Amino acid sequence: MYFYKYLRVDNLNLSMLRHGEVFFASPKELNDIHECKPQFIFNANRETWARFIDEIILSICVKLNLKPKSHVSMALLSSKKDILTALLNKRKSLSLNYEETINRVSYEISKKAITELDFVDARSVIDALNSYIQNELNTELNDKLYITSFSKSATILTMWGHYGSAEKGFAIIYETNDGNISLESNIEIFPSAKRLSESSYSLGISRFSKAKLLEVAYKNKPVRANGFRKLIPTFSFSDQEDFYDCCEILLADLPKYNEGDIGRVKFTDWKYEKELRLHLPVYDELAPPLRNIKISIKHIKGVIFGSNTSTSDKENILSACYHLKKSNKNESEIYIFQAKSIPSQYKINITALGRICDIQGKGLPFIEKVSPKKFEDKKYLEEMLKISESINAS
């Protein structure tokens, strides 16, 4: 299948085209502020809630730099059981939404602080609690997802308007046969596993990986997710608990929602984009400069000029394509297409112009027309027709 990325012509996008790169953005860097923000439900058994309260109280003690035997830390630690009882009473489990969780936990801890401590210490505890909620808790709940977006169609006028600089930009054509995309980083960032025998593997990191092309689903409500699925891996466990995989046991006991759909669902108003996306297959937080990732040249099939792309911008795009092809030792053909408005219709049609080559003839540089009269051009012509037919049908 073919898929497409709409871009404006600027130095950054031309440089990324030159190197065959795409940028993977974090949710807060995307143009939809609701991206990757699920509706969190905190649904777990009594043990998980008890550990959650432990973590909050430990965080408060650390923030206030309390000594283990100080009267404030002793008061907080001794109140854990009462707080848990107030939340769950005699129930074996509890399910609350995000707002209910924050309100009830904050109320119970604040009530204990006000009851058992003087005004100054109680105020410090409440401030530390609020700091934990606004910083650590929300950070732990946020997904460390990095996303790059594409479209199933290269003929959407709204997309050309929004992302293609009012049809003065360009679109890159990609192809995958099995839905997997080969990626390459300049440094080792991808988890890898090398098989040593039938029962053993060597784990490490690599510059190379693959990612599955995902189709975005458009819905009226956000994804529901169990907040504890994010929090449990951050809990403190003893060496003995680690040995017996206590973390995994707690995670296995959690009720499941639609956590796997985080990063794959958008509000229905975005449906016109026909979006496809890749998630960067990493687990650690990465700075923006490390998220410029090369897509294998075998997936890059060509470029489409917008209907209003200027001659000078076309030359810059072709120069970038020529550099991309040459730097990959001519391993893949790169074809060039032109978008044209259809008179009296809100539609565009895509026509083939040629392929990237060394020839410097008349007209635009680095482009050679494919002739049906030349036997050696037959394979190029067939592929160009296949691509253009697919684009116009998309």
Side-chain angles (χ1 to χ4, degrees), residues 334-382:
I334 298 177
Y335 298 102
I336 307 300
F337 300 84
Q338 176 67 60
K340 293 183 179 179
S341 298
I342 299 176
S344 304
Q345 297 185 54
Y346 289 125
K347 292 182 180 180
I348 58 174
N349 186 62
I350 307 298
T351 57
L353 297 181
R355 68 187 184 96
I356 294 294
C357 65
D358 294 324
I359 295 176
Q360 289 288 104
K362 294 181 180 180
L364 293 169
F366 308 119
I367 186 169
E368 178 184 36
K369 291 184 177 180
V370 175
S371 173
K373 296 180 181 180
K374 293 182 181 179
F375 177 78
E376 60 269 25
D377 282 359
K378 183 179 179 181
K379 64 177 183 179
Y380 306 133
L381 184 64
E382 288 177 352

Side-chain angles (χ1 to χ4, degrees), residues 244-264:
Y244 288 105
D245 295 325
C246 185
C247 176
E248 298 302 321
I249 293 171
L250 291 177
L251 287 170
D253 286 341
L254 289 179
K256 294 181 180 179
Y257 293 90
N258 307 108
E259 290 89 351
D261 288 339
I262 296 175
R264 301 180 62 174

Side-chain angles (χ1 to χ4, degrees), residues 209-222:
S209 188
K210 288 187 176 182
K212 191 76 175 177
L213 193 64
L214 305 171
E215 185 168 354
V216 170
Y218 299 96
K219 299 182 179 181
N220 287 317
K221 292 183 178 180

Side-chain angles (χ1 to χ4, degrees), residues 42 52 132 137 140-141 227-235:
F42 291 80
F52 180 40
Y132 166 79
L137 179 62
E140 289 159 0
L141 290 176
F228 283 122
R229 202 165 293 282
K230 296 286 184 184
L231 298 182
I232 287 175
T234 71
F235 289 175

Side-chain angles (χ1 to χ4, degrees), residues 98-150:
Y98 176 83
E99 291 77 14
E100 290 170 337
T101 302
I102 298 304
N103 292 338
R104 290 190 61 182
V105 169
S106 297
Y107 173 76
E108 295 300 336
I109 294 177
S110 299
K111 184 175 73 172
K112 277 292 179 181
I114 293 169
T115 302
E116 301 189 12
L117 299 172
D118 62 33
F119 175 81
V120 174
D121 288 335
R123 180 65 178 269
S124 297
V125 167
I126 293 170
D127 287 344
L129 171 62
N130 290 334
S131 175
Y132 166 79
I133 293 169
Q134 293 169 11
N135 297 301
E136 286 91 335
L137 179 62
N138 288 334
T139 298
E140 289 159 0
L141 290 176
N142 286 337
D143 272 272
K144 292 182 178 66
L145 279 180
Y146 300 112
I147 295 166
T148 191
S149 299
F150 307 91

